Amino acid sequence: KIKDDLRSIDIVIKRAKKIGFPVILATSTDSSDDVLAEIANQHQIEVFRGSLLNKIKRWHDCFKEYEIDSACIIEADDIAFDYELYQSAMIQLEKSNSDLIMYPEDIVTGLFLLNIKNIAIEKLYSLVPDEQINTDVVITKLLQNTDVNISYLDVESYAKDKASGTPNILIDDHPKNIGEWEAQGGIGIHHTSVNGTIAKLKKLGFA
């Protein structure tokens, strides 16, 4: 539990709803993920259960079952992702000839992953259709072997609120990301423990 009896997955789901599209929690058929299916039901969102190891097959089968043309892909542990970036990326995806909008190299880890069209999912899946292939860390390499038309998210500085100029807060366990965020004028909290992060938030005025 992080805040007001909310787990990290609760916060991710609540933030995902702010993007403005239907939310589907895509998890595996493994019994260890039964709890995630229960959480999805509590939030009244759809849940899709598919391959445990092959994330691309899971996405592919989810796209097929729900007849999805394009979607925002959010990792469950990216608790501080920026839903406004996903909104901007969807507009960019719809207005361009791109099959996929991907995170740029200079973005802070966890803010944005990718928005993708069905055609790109199909091309990726054709390379790794086997359910036993672990695709968790090879998506970037796979893209190099396809003719998927990739564009990169046009990122402005999100370290400060655009309207007020107030510094935004990033909580991250990578010092490099914290340094880059603070260099852009934001407030960074290097996460090393739950209690430590909570204490730092309290110092900033978050009870």
Side-chain angles (χ1 to χ4, degrees):
K1 302 294 179 65
I2 296 177
K3 183 179 184 296
D4 297 333
D5 290 329
L6 293 176
R7 296 153 294 198
S8 61
I9 188 64
D10 295 313
I11 295 173
V12 170
I13 292 172
K14 284 178 175 291
R15 292 177 66 79
K17 289 182 177 181
K18 290 181 178 291
I19 299 174
F21 299 104
V23 177
I24 303 172
L25 192 155
T27 189
S28 82
T29 55
D30 192 81
S31 59
S32 63
D33 286 333
D34 288 350
V35 62
L36 294 178
E38 293 175 6
I39 291 171
N41 290 330
Q42 291 168 10
H43 285 274
Q44 299 182 326
I45 63 172
E46 295 288 335
V47 59
F48 175 83
R49 305 194 69 168
S51 174
L52 173 63
L53 296 177
N54 191 336
K55 183 184 295 184
I56 291 174
K57 175 174 172 52
R58 192 191 314 157
W59 293 350
H60 170 270
D61 294 348
C62 181
F63 266 62
K64 188 173 182 179
E65 178 164 326
Y66 288 94
E67 299 181 341
I68 298 170
D69 293 323
S70 58
C72 308
I73 304 296
I74 303 166
E75 294 284 12
D77 56 355
D78 287 345
I79 189 171
F81 76 88
D82 191 323
Y83 49 83
E84 290 184 344
L85 286 182
Y86 278 93
Q87 291 170 336
S88 297
M90 189 56 76
I91 294 172
Q92 187 177 339
L93 186 65
E94 291 174 350
K95 290 185 175 181
S96 69
N97 294 321
S98 302
D99 304 323
L100 182 153
I101 306 297
M102 200 160 187
Y103 59 89
E105 291 184 359
D106 59 350
I107 195 172
V108 174
T109 302
L111 282 185
F112 175 81
L113 183 60
L114 57 88
N115 283 13
I116 190 168
K117 290 180 179 177
N118 182 54
I119 187 173
I121 290 286
E122 291 287 353
K123 290 177 179 180
L124 285 169
Y125 175 66
S126 69
L127 298 176
V128 285
D130 188 341
E131 189 161 349
Q132 299 305 313
I133 297 177
N134 189 337
T135 60
D136 194 41
V137 294
V138 299
I139 294 174
T140 303
K141 292 182 179 179
L142 288 173
L143 286 169
Q144 297 172 359
N145 297 317
T146 71
D147 60 351
V148 171
N149 188 2
I150 303 172
S151 292
Y152 293 89
L153 181 65
D154 183 15
V155 181
E156 301 174 6
S157 174
Y158 283 84
K160 293 182 179 180
D161 182 86
K162 291 181 180 179
S164 67
T166 303
N168 289 323
I169 299 172
L170 174 70
I171 301 172
D172 199 288
D173 57 355
H174 294 284
K176 176 178 178 292
N177 293 336
I178 294 298
E180 291 175 351
W181 187 259
E182 291 177 336
Q184 295 174 10
I187 297 173
I189 295 178
H190 180 209
H191 176 76
T192 56
S193 70
V194 173
N195 289 337
T197 296
I198 290 174
K200 291 175 183 176
L201 285 170
K202 286 182 177 179
K203 285 184 179 181
L204 292 171
F206 295 90

